[in-house]
Each structure stands twice: as structure tokens, then as C-alpha cells.
Amino acid sequence: MSITMGTTLASLVTNKRRVSALKSLGIVTVGDALTYYPFRVTEPVPLRAIREAAPGQQMAFAAVIRDMRVVPMNARRGYRLEATVDDADFARSRRVPGSTARLTFFSYRKSYVDWVSVRLRAGTSVVVSGMPGEYMGQLQFTHPEILTVAPVPAGAGAGLEGYARGAASGNGAFAGSADPYASAQSAYPPAATAPSGAALKYDADTVQEALTRVCRPRPVYHASSRISSEHIHETILGLLWMMGARTSSTPDGQLAGAGAAGIVAPATDTIAVQNGEEKSGTTAESGAEALSQSIPDVLPESVRKAKNLMHRAEAFLAIHDPASTTRFKEAIETLRYEEAFVSQTSLLKARSHAHKSAAHSCPLVTDSLRDQFIASLPFSLTAGQQQVIHDIAADLAHDWPMQRLLQGEVGSGKTVVALAAMLQAVDAGYQAVLVAPTQVLAEQHAETIGRMVEQLKPAIPVTLLTGGMKLAARRKALAAASSGEPGIIVATHAAFSKTFQAPHLALVVIDEQHRFGVEQRESLNAKTDDGTTPHLLVMTATPIPRTAVMTWFGDLDISWLTELPGGRKPIRTVVVNEADAATMGRMFAHIRARVDAGERAYIVCPRIDADDEGNEGGSGVSAAAGSARGRAAASGSSARTAAGGRATRAAADAIGIDDPYETFDENGETVARPPLHAVAEIADRLQKLPQFQGIRFATLTGRDKDDVKTQVMADFAGGETPILVSTTVIEVGVDVKQASCIVIFDADRYGLSQLHQLRGRVGRGGTNSWAFLISRAEPGSPAEQRLEVIHHSLDGAEIAQADLEFRGAGDVLGDAQSGGKSSLKLLRVVKDADMIADARTRAEQLLAADPELADEVQLAGAVLDFTRGNETFLTSS
């Protein structure tokens, strides 16, 4: 069976529970497994004789089992297995007296105890790695790692001298160390021979091989309650073996290569197919060559040599089976540069593709609708708005499509800029579409735009199209769009449906670009009847640092709106420990006072109801609900499971956190955290408080139907229900000017940029406003440090930069980045800025010589995969 990066694990791994556990981590194919990188690598384990042991310090040694017994633990149930080991020969090689120690194992399962008993028979040679302790005056290793060593054929010697040569050659973890067997003169005792009639399988053929394996640096992976880091590592090593990596020795007994020294054939009860077993005598060098055939390189050879990088197959091997920590870091840098090169090549190709397309030219005319609109505004445009409107006007006059990203803080006036651009397109005789992520926001846009253009001459038709409209209204809106009459269409995802046609479409404005994928945006190109590509303006209020913008939106022209219109007051942000009942009480009393003054308050919870436990995870919903990125905009903004795989839409609706930060212990296991608060639970609790007697509450979640959402928001804005308990559906675009307070429960579990977005829902009417961040974070914890950033800053760019530094690209860029199917897992937007710039320069040179990548088939495939897997970063494919 030929194994490739796309081969599914289900066809290779026989343990279906393991397949399911890996799938929950987003690992479905061989490629997913090899790119599931460890988050750290352990230091090499030192060799020490038993007499050199120091309690609490990791060590490894070779020994012989002297005796073994199994003791039932009647009082506690289960069994205790104790084995006594003697390291006389190993200690002699280190010039210290031999000694004994106890190996102890506990288990409730008799089958496990029986399995260990068979492996630890008296006379068996073993290599032990673990942390020593003391029990009843004797040195004890509890649940150490054990490798059994095959018995030495009669007259063949113990092979200790062979190990000595391997160590002296500087192999693996032993480079530069003293030769542990330099003075060894004898083999292990004759007792270390195979039991008669037994068909035991040993872990290693020689002591040398076993010591090398346990002492080498060990990668540690993010794990879960369903699968440990060790089992993840075991599976990945098994896959590498099947693809060609081997452990073998040259005729003189030295290890052939550090990079492949630790990989042995996986057990048939773990791996169903073992490719190439007939080549078990293959040398490590030819094994690496076989691996490179299964894992072809992506980087052009010229780039790889110029940067002195490893082959891709070699890098995977050095990451998952590192001979040294230095080798591991070099491999990480190789694959990090690969990600930078692929991403920049993708962006450059996207930009080139866009400039080759035709678009409708929309030049400004005398007494234009745009100028009438600007003159009718009851306020003066900021200098930033004027400059951006001017830049967009110049772009629209071209006969190739504009591709521009407009980034601005909440309330910076992006809607005015977008409307000016749409009026320019309408003035030229074409249609413009504004696509909003939710029905509530689309309805608000349609109402706002309708008011703004009602005095213009000639009259401008404004058509609303949403998926929640009644059939008759929907048909009327579709007919208006298909007529081709110049005008403005405000739509939700309905604009991407096959029934929507706009034959004279010249401009598409995407509000909150991270909510739409590239395939959806590209579908709008097919709406025109003349083959032209519409001009594209994407807008986001999610703050993105300039370094990130240049990295991920390199195919776009960028505009920033940094000035806020006059009249808006800074939002006061308060972090409240949920356990502080007195402060919580004062906060609720304050909110009641604001409500009595005619203002409104949002209460935000990450979950819909308390029964959504199954949707909760350590990593959360990337978009998280969207990664789990995934992002989620990935931050997701789609949904992601706790381990990083994509979750269902129901899970995304149930949990509104954008890629909450996971907490891991030192072994990569997710740390259990308190359950997230739910809308139904909090609404019920708050209505019973004395501070809110006589106040009507409303609830709003992603599960509510569109007409219900519309009515709830109308009642909230009108004051009938002045307190709204909701999920993060109010995060984007909801504009209630009377809202002055927002309370965010479980704030320590949100991304900083998402908190900043939520905070921007209040203070839009010029009143004093407050944001209360309710936290259960431990004092001094990273979660508390994150909240301090947003507590002290209202600068979106500063907050986004901190978000990047805390957790990578995360929710500031979208769900693909956070995990799940993203092909970007190592690249760091901030720290790797220089690497990204270098990759962009080399990618430009490559594309100048080979625009279609005809000579770089593997790179072309990686670019295509990147575009599909990271669509939230690209605006054209």
C-alpha cells in the first residue's frame, strides 16, 4: 500500500478508539499527524548508575531483572507489581559499584499487570528511564519507562563494546559525553537468554539501541483526556516507519544516523499496514531517501539551499524523533520558513490574478451622488475619511478590480466611506452590494442607508435581501436585483445563493470580512453577465496590527481609519472577580441606576444553555466558533472543538467564545476549567436579584430565528426590555445608542480582540459608558495578565498586538489560523516578520521567472491547499 500525506489514519491504525481520539484533535490524515507539532521537546535524559541517582532528577540506566512479584492490594483493590533490578555491569562501566532498585507499577487491570509480568521476567535485560524516589529506605522508580532488550546469542558477547563505539562517535543524546561502557569487559549474565518455548517480542535488539531511544529528547504534544502525548508520539513514529524511516545499524555496530535512530517497526496491533517490511535491513540513509519519496519537498531546491534548510521529510523526522534539541529547533525553522514561503506565494499569485481581470470603470461625474451625499451629512468628515474616500474613488475609476481592505475602530465611520463608494458605482450606472454577516446588521444597514440617501436626486433604490424574509418579499428583492437597475442592495449570505443575480454589479462591499470565505466572495464574480469582476472593498472593525495586515492581506491595498468622530467618550473598563460578591452587587446596582436613567445594558455569556457541556472544550469553539481557528475567523469564527478540530454549526451557535485560550499542563494535557456561564442560567439568576426587581429582561442567541432576533432588538432599543442577556451575536454591528453598560461573563476565556469588539457595543450615543469584565482567573495567571491589557487600553491596534503575542494569530485573523484545517501552524506573525519579508522577496523572484509555477509542482499544490485552507486570509483565489 502506497502511503501519502493524504492517506487516512482510519485505513492504517487498527485501534479505532485511537483513531477517534486523534480525529477529535483534528488529526484525520497522515499529513494532519505529521503537522501536529509538539509544543516542546524534553532535554536529553542523562545516564546514571543507580548509586548516582538523585531523587526527583530524571535518569536512565541498563540493568537485569533479579526478581518480580505481584501483590494484590486488597484494601484498595487492584494490584501492585514490584521488580528488583541490578545494574552491576552498567555501573562497572561508569566506575561505580553496582546496586539494586525497585520498579513499581500499580493497576486495577489484571490484564495490564499480566502484560508487565511477562516483560519483566527474572533474567531479562532492560533499560529503565524515570524519576527515582525513596520508599521504605529503598530507591524506587514508579511507573518508569521500560525497554526490554533481546537476549544475546550464545558466544556473541553482550554488544556493550558496540554501544561504546556508538557513544564515542558523538551520536544523538550522547555527543560529548563520557563513554559509559569504556571499561566494560563482560557481557550480561547468561540468565539473559530467551525462555524456552517463548516467543517474546523485545523492544530493542541491543542495550545500545535501547539507551539511545530512552535518552534522546522526547517531543511533547498537546493531548486530551482521550489520548496521551505518548500515544500521539507512538502513532506518528509508526507512520514515519511505514513511509520509509528505519532504525538499523551498519556492519560495525555503529548507528547509521541520528535522525532515524529511534524509529522501530510499529506493533501490528497498532498499525494495520506495515509498508516495506521486507526492507528491514535498509540503512538509515536509504530509509531517509524512501521517506523523501513519500514526503516530497515543497520549497524550491534553490531556495532551500540558499537558506540552508532541511528537506521536508528530514524536518518531519527531526521534529517527531529529534536526535537533539538543536536538531529539533532547526527542523522547526525549516517548516516555519516553508509556511512563510507558501503563504506569500499564495498572496502574490492572488494579487497578480486580480490585476489581470476586467472591471467596470466608475469615474466620478459632475454633481455626483457621492458629493451630494457628503454635503448632506450633518457633520464634517474626518481627515482620514476624506483620504480613504479619495483613494477608493481613484481605484473605482480603473478598468481592473479594486481590492482594498478598510480597517477602522468601531465608530470610526466605515459605513459612510462604504456608502460614498457605492454611490459612485450607482452614479456610473451600475449596482453595488453591501454584504453583512447577520440579518440584524443587514436590516440596520438598509435602514441607515435608506435615511442617508432619501434626499438625493435622482432617487436611489435600496433593496434589502435576507434569508429570513417572507417568500413574497424575497421574490420582490430578487427581481429588483436581477433587473440590473442601478441601485444599492444590502444582503446577508443570501447574496451568495444561486437565485441571486445582479447583472450590472460593479462593487461588492463586505462588512466584517472574516465572516465570509473566499468561495463565497468569488461566487459574486459570477453574478455579472459580462464576465467582469466587481470591485471589492472589505471592511473590518477587528483591529489587526500592521505586521499582520502585511502578512495576511498582502494581496490588498490597505486603508486605516484611526480617528474617531467627535462626541464619543472613552469607555471605562472594570475587571471584576466573580468571587467578589460585594463588587458584583455594586456593579448590578450601578446598572440598575443606568437603566432607571433610560439607558440599556448588555449581559454577554459564552453559552446558550447549561446543557451544552458536550460542546465545551479546552480550546473552545473557534469561532471558535470559528478555530479552531477553528478561528472562526477563525479565530475562528467557525466552530472548533477543544482540541482544535472543527466543530459543528450547532456547537458554534452554542458557545460564542472566539477560540478561548487553552490551558495545558507540562505534559500537554488540557487542564479542566469551570463550566462556562450560559444565557438561560444568568438571565434566570439576575431576574431574581433585588437590584433588578421590576425590570424586564430579554434573551438573544444564535439559535433564535431571524424574526425573533429582529423583534428582540427592537424591544431592547425601544426600552421595553432594557436589559439584554445574549451570546456574542451582538458582537458585530449592533448599534443601540442608548446602551451604556456591558457585562461580559467568563471574560478570561475570550480573545482580547473579541473583548474589544464586544466593548464597542456601548457608548455609541455619546453617553458615559462602562464595560465590566467578569473573570474567574487565578491571581497572577496569564488569563489575568491578558485582562489587564484590555483594562488599561482602548487602542485596538495595541490590543491586537498583545493578542498576537499571547497566542499567535488567533481571532484577530480568522478561524483558519487557530487550528483545524489551517496549513499555518508554526509561523508567528509578529516574531517572524523578517522571515516573512524574506520569503515574500524570494517568492516574487520565483513568480517573475515562473508565474504559473509550472516547474514547481509541489509548491503549486501547497499554494492551492493554502488558498483553500486559509480562505479567511485571502480575498481572491
Side-chain angles (χ1 to χ4, degrees):
M1 175 181 178
S2 177
I3 300 174
T4 67
M5 297 287 279
T7 303
T8 61
L9 295 189
S11 65
L12 302 177
V13 180
T14 55
N15 186 328
K16 299 310 175 187
R17 292 182 64 185
R18 182 172 296 189
V19 171
S20 176
L22 291 168
K23 185 176 181 180
S24 73
L25 296 176
I27 304 173
V28 178
T29 66
V30 172
D32 293 335
L34 296 186
T35 57
Y36 192 78
Y37 302 116
F39 68 93
R40 69 180 176 92
V41 63
T42 63
E43 292 297 323
V45 177
L47 292 176
R48 290 180 184 149
I50 292 175
R51 284 189 179 272
E52 298 172 307
Q57 295 183 15
Q58 196 82 6
M59 60 176 283
F61 62 94
V64 174
I65 303 294
R66 288 308 180 202
D67 60 66
M68 181 271 299
R69 65 172 183 157
V70 176
V71 182
M73 297 186 296
N74 296 325
R76 297 172 52 194
R77 296 181 21 252
Y79 304 88
R80 181 178 75 251
L81 184 149
E82 295 179 347
T84 303
V85 293
D86 180 352
D87 74 339
D89 295 278
F90 177 77
R92 188 181 308 118
S93 71
R94 296 186 63 81
R95 298 179 178 85
V96 297
S99 187
T100 61
R102 180 191 295 123
L103 312 181
T104 305
F105 301 85
F106 299 93
S107 180
Y108 290 113
R109 294 166 45 209
K110 185 64 163 59
S111 58
Y112 172 77
V113 173
D114 290 342
W115 175 73
V116 177
S117 299
V118 171
R119 301 182 75 227
L120 303 187
R121 292 183 179 182
T124 302
S125 296
V126 294
V127 165
V128 180
S129 175
M131 193 171 293
E134 189 175 336
Y135 179 71
M136 297 183 68
Q138 185 174 4
L139 198 67
Q140 174 174 284
F141 292 82
T142 304
H143 284 275
E145 179 181 3
I146 301 288
L147 294 185
T148 57
V149 181
V152 180
L160 304 185
E161 294 83 355
Y163 172 73
R165 287 193 297 272
S169 67
N171 176 61
F174 311 108
S177 63
D179 178 1
Y181 283 132
S183 61
Q185 300 295 325
S186 62
Y188 276 109
T193 57
S196 60
L200 299 179
K201 179 178 179 180
Y202 295 91
D203 299 315
D205 293 330
T206 64
V207 174
Q208 168 196 352
E209 176 190 324
L211 281 170
T212 300
R213 285 170 57 189
V214 301
C215 291
R216 289 160 68 88
R218 189 76 51 88
V220 182
Y221 303 82
H222 284 316
S224 71
S225 59
R226 299 180 61 187
I227 186 168
S228 67
S229 174
E230 279 298 317
H231 283 156
I232 294 171
H233 188 212
E234 175 187 280
T235 302
I236 294 174
L237 290 184
L239 296 173
L240 287 170
W241 187 92
M242 295 169 67
M243 298 177 82
R246 292 291 185 272
T247 296
S248 61
S249 298
T250 55
D252 65 357
Q254 295 185 18
L255 290 173
I263 300 183
V264 296
T268 53
D269 59 352
T270 301
I271 298 292
V273 181
Q274 295 192 358
N275 187 36
E277 285 189 78
E278 72 284 355
K279 298 180 181 178
S280 59
T282 306
T283 65
E285 286 88 345
S286 60
E289 182 179 341
L291 188 63
S292 66
Q293 293 174 1
S294 300
I295 308 175
D297 213 348
V298 168
L299 288 174
E301 184 72 9
S302 59
V303 173
R304 188 168 66 84
K305 288 185 175 179
K307 298 293 294 182
N308 193 29
L309 302 173
M310 300 180 183
H311 187 283
R312 193 176 199 221
E314 184 183 8
F316 280 136
L317 201 56
I319 286 173
H320 297 295
D321 188 39
S324 66
T325 53
T326 299
R327 188 76 170 159
F328 174 84
K329 291 174 183 176
E330 291 173 352
I332 289 291
E333 285 302 296
T334 290
L335 294 180
R336 185 170 282 148
Y337 190 88
E338 177 188 290
E339 289 184 358
F341 194 86
V342 170
S343 66
Q344 294 309 301
T345 303
S346 300
L347 289 165
L348 290 168
K349 280 183 64 67
R351 190 178 185 91
S352 173
H353 178 270
H355 284 185
K356 292 177 182 178
S357 303
H360 291 297
S361 174
C362 302
L364 276 174
V365 297
T366 304
D367 191 27
S368 66
L369 289 171
R370 190 201 75 169
D371 292 342
Q372 289 183 48
F373 162 65
I374 294 174
S376 70
L377 291 172
F379 53 83
S380 299
L381 296 179
T382 66
Q385 287 175 313
Q386 294 176 23
Q387 182 60 51
V388 173
I389 289 174
H390 178 269
D391 293 342
I392 292 174
D395 288 345
L396 291 176
H398 294 147
D399 58 2
W400 65 82
M402 168 183 73
Q403 295 215 119
R404 184 172 289 277
L405 171 68
L406 174 58
Q407 177 178 319
E409 289 282 357
V410 171
S412 60
K414 296 185 299 298
T415 302
V416 170
V417 172
L419 182 51
M422 290 190 287
L423 289 174
Q424 185 172 337
V426 172
D427 228 356
Y430 299 109
Q431 296 169 294
V433 173
L434 170 61
V435 187
T438 66
Q439 175 164 328
V440 170
L441 185 54
E443 291 171 345
Q444 287 187 359
H445 276 316
E447 181 182 355
T448 301
I449 291 172
R451 288 199 310 266
M452 287 180 164
V453 303
E454 62 185 358
Q455 302 301 323
L456 302 184
K457 302 296 181 182
I460 307 299
V462 178
T463 303
L464 175 66
L465 176 63
T466 71
M469 298 174 70
K470 292 184 178 180
L471 183 59
R474 181 179 172 83
R475 285 178 173 172
K476 183 178 179 180
L478 289 171
S482 62
S483 71
E485 178 186 3
I488 294 172
I489 302 162
V490 181
T492 58
H493 287 74
F496 303 120
S497 69
K498 293 181 180 179
T499 57
F500 174 72
Q501 295 296 325
H504 293 160
L505 183 60
L507 172 64
V508 175
V509 179
I510 304 286
D511 192 14
E512 289 306 320
Q513 62 83 26
H514 63 274
R515 302 303 176 99
F516 304 101
V518 90
E519 293 178 2
Q520 291 175 311
R521 291 192 288 268
E522 284 296 299
S523 72
L524 290 174
N525 291 344
K527 306 301 182 184
T528 60
D529 60 359
D530 53 10
T532 58
T533 298
H535 297 283
L536 178 66
L537 175 65
V538 293
M539 304 191 299
T540 180
T542 302
I544 306 173
R546 288 176 182 260
T547 52
V549 168
M550 298 313 295
T551 301
W552 302 126
F553 299 98
D555 58 334
L556 298 177
D557 295 307
I558 315 296
S559 294
W560 277 272
L561 286 177
T562 56
E563 302 172 70
L564 291 181
R568 292 202 65 175
K569 297 179 180 179
I571 301 169
R572 304 174 194 179
T573 304
V574 183
V575 178
V576 181
N577 188 320
E578 189 173 342
D580 185 349
T583 302
M584 293 284 286
R586 290 196 300 273
M587 175 187 74
F588 291 133
H590 172 79
I591 292 173
R592 174 59 188 263
R594 302 321 306 161
V595 169
D596 289 343
E599 297 169 10
R600 315 282 186 269
Y602 296 104
I603 311 290
V604 179
C605 304
R607 288 196 299 159
I608 293 177
D609 55 54
D611 295 329
D612 293 322
E613 296 293 341
N615 294 328
E616 214 179 316
S619 62
V621 182
S622 121
S627 234
R629 1 245 156 126
R631 214 49 147 130
S635 246
S637 294
S638 31
R640 201 173 51 130
T641 62
R646 298 285 177 119
T648 63
R649 180 172 292 278
D653 288 341
I655 305 178
I657 285 184
D658 268 1
D659 191 25
Y661 298 86
E662 294 185 69
T663 302
F664 300 98
D665 62 19
E666 63 180 7
N667 294 318
E669 303 281 350
T670 52
V671 175
R673 294 182 291 181
L676 298 167
H677 287 300
V679 168
E681 163 214 351
I682 293 297
D684 182 63
R685 284 171 51 186
L686 295 186
Q687 290 180 81
K688 295 177 181 177
L689 293 177
Q691 293 95 326
F692 296 123
Q693 289 301 307
I695 297 295
R696 290 185 60 194
F697 281 66
T699 62
L700 182 66
T701 74
R703 288 182 187 166
D704 293 328
K705 293 183 178 179
D706 288 336
D707 58 341
V708 174
K709 292 178 182 177
T710 300
Q711 186 60 50
V712 167
M713 289 306 301
D715 291 345
F716 177 63
E720 292 184 34
T721 52
I723 297 181
L724 178 62
V725 185
S726 77
T727 58
T728 55
V729 292
I730 58 111
E731 174 188 356
V732 174
V734 173
D735 189 3
V736 177
K737 298 189 184 306
Q738 299 91 339
S740 63
C741 295
I742 185 168
V743 178
I744 305 173
F745 280 90
D746 295 305
D748 51 302
R749 308 275 286 274
Y750 288 79
L752 296 184
S753 293
Q754 190 180 23
L755 287 175
H756 183 61
Q757 278 279 80
L758 289 167
R759 179 171 61 180
R761 296 306 101 204
V762 298
R764 303 171 73 84
T767 61
N768 290 322
S769 55
W770 294 262
F772 299 97
L773 310 181
I774 313 303
S775 168
R776 288 182 280 186
E778 294 292 329
S781 66
E784 185 183 62
Q785 295 170 21
R786 290 194 298 268
L787 291 181
E788 283 303 302
V789 172
I790 202 160
H791 177 206
H792 294 293
S793 177
L794 293 171
D795 185 330
E798 179 182 332
I799 291 167
Q801 184 81 9
D803 215 357
L804 281 171
E805 293 170 354
F806 273 122
R807 65 168 176 180
D811 67 349
V812 300
L813 294 182
D815 64 11
Q817 172 61 22
S818 294
K821 296 299 182 182
S822 172
S823 56
L824 292 171
K825 302 186 179 180
L826 298 174
L827 199 61
R828 303 161 303 187
V829 174
V830 178
K831 294 182 179 178
D832 297 325
D834 291 343
M835 176 186 289
I836 292 167
D838 180 90
R840 190 176 184 87
T841 299
R842 294 180 188 275
E844 287 173 340
Q845 296 170 353
L846 176 68
L847 289 172
D850 185 5
E852 300 303 320
L853 300 178
D855 296 331
E856 300 293 344
V857 177
Q858 296 301 326
L859 176 61
V863 166
L864 183 60
D865 289 343
F866 175 87
T867 303
R868 289 172 175 169
N870 298 274
E871 57 188 24
T872 54
F873 301 142
L874 303 175
T875 56
S876 62
S877 60

